Amino acid sequence: MRIVASSNNDESPDAGLDCELKRMFGGMEQRELERLTIGAIHEYRASVALAETARLQRLAAEADKNCCPERRVELERIHEHAETEHRARQLVLNTLVDRLGFVPNVPIG
C-alpha cells in the first residue's frame, strides 16, 4: 500500500510529504531541532535493527522445510511492515538533518 501525500499528479508522492515535514520543522529553534534529530537518529537505528531481524527471520522460515505457510506469510508481513517503518523514519530523519544543516554526533547504544 502506498500513501500519496499530494494530490498534484505532476509531483512524486514523497514531494508533498517532504514539503509538509519541512513546514512542520521549519519554525523550530536550533536546539529543539537538534534534540529532535538526535531522537530521530536513535529511532532510525532501532528501526534498521528491527527490519534486519525481520528479514533474517523471514529468510530462515523460507529455508526451513518444516515451517508452515501461515508462519511464512506472517513473517513476510512483519518484514514488510518493518521495512515501511524504516523508510518512513529515514524520510523524517533526512528532513531533520537537512533543516539542521549537519548530522549531530550520536554515540551508538
Side-chain angles (χ1 to χ4, degrees), residues 24-59:
M24 287 172 44
F25 301 132
M28 289 187 174
E29 293 183 16
Q30 189 79 359
R31 282 182 33 208
E32 180 65 11
L33 200 54
E34 186 170 356
R35 187 186 67 74
L36 281 175
T37 305
I38 290 169
I41 290 169
H42 287 294
E43 290 174 2
Y44 173 76
R45 288 176 180 170
S47 74
V48 169
L50 286 174
E52 180 62 9
T53 298
R55 184 185 75 81
L56 293 174
Q57 288 175 341
R58 181 184 55 83
L59 290 174

Side-chain angles (χ1 to χ4, degrees), residues 6-20:
S6 172
S7 61
N8 183 347
N9 292 332
D10 296 335
E11 267 181 21
S12 76
D14 292 340
L17 181 57
D18 191 46
C19 287
E20 183 64 20

Side-chain angles (χ1 to χ4, degrees), residues 69-85:
E70 294 82 10
R71 179 67 178 148
R72 288 181 184 164
V73 169
E74 178 186 12
L75 289 171
E76 183 176 339
R77 183 190 56 74
I78 290 168
H79 177 232
E80 287 173 359
H81 177 79
E83 285 293 323
T84 300
E85 182 176 330

